[in-house]
Amino acid sequence: KTFAESFPVGILGGRIILYGAGKYGNSLYDILAACKDRKVVQWIDRNYENIEETKMTLAGLEALGQVEYDCVLIGVVSEESAQEIRAELIRRGIPAWKIYWLGKREVNQYLVWNQMFRWL
């Protein structure tokens, strides 16, 4: 299997909203871009106006869910921050069952398993 085939994207669906455009969010974007059947359809960051260089257009929270999507993937390292973002997403009407967070440790396990020693 290739890395893209072994990364747990199967749970995410084909159309993904990625929340977070920091270093970890960018790494997740790269991983998802390598997956044939997955596409980041929207990239959200609460500080989008302060981020200068991105791989696709960023939007703020007000744009959340204005496109068809299967899930929202939270791209932050901190579990505490991820829980706060999850609560905010739910307050904004995103169903809890459509929200995912993959911790850095879990993602790195896939990188090691595939012997792609590019630590996030």
Side-chain angles (χ1 to χ4, degrees), residues 67-84:
V67 297
E68 286 190 42
Y69 68 98
D70 297 310
C71 78
V72 177
L73 177 60
I74 300 172
V76 298
V77 173
S78 162
E79 185 173 1
E80 184 178 329
S81 294
Q83 291 301 330
E84 291 171 8

Side-chain angles (χ1 to χ4, degrees), residues 13-88:
R15 300 165 300 186
I16 301 163
I17 294 175
L18 180 58
Y19 185 109
K23 183 177 179 182
Y24 184 57
N26 271 277
S27 293
L28 289 176
Y29 180 90
D30 291 341
I31 290 168
L32 294 168
C35 299
K36 291 181 255 178
D37 301 331
R38 307 293 179 253
K39 182 177 182 182
V40 175
V41 294
Q42 190 175 46
W43 201 352
I44 301 288
D45 194 283
R46 76 175 61 151
N47 297 316
Y48 75 102
E49 294 171 326
N50 298 326
I51 300 172
E52 295 178 15
E53 293 183 36
T54 59
K55 297 166 184 165
M56 75 177 277
T57 303
L58 281 178
L61 287 170
E62 66 284 346
L64 186 63
Q66 291 179 352
V67 297
E68 286 190 42
Y69 68 98
D70 297 310
C71 78
V72 177
L73 177 60
I74 300 172
V76 298
V77 173
S78 162
E79 185 173 1
E80 184 178 329
S81 294
Q83 291 301 330
E84 291 171 8
I85 292 167
R86 178 178 163 67
E88 173 70 20

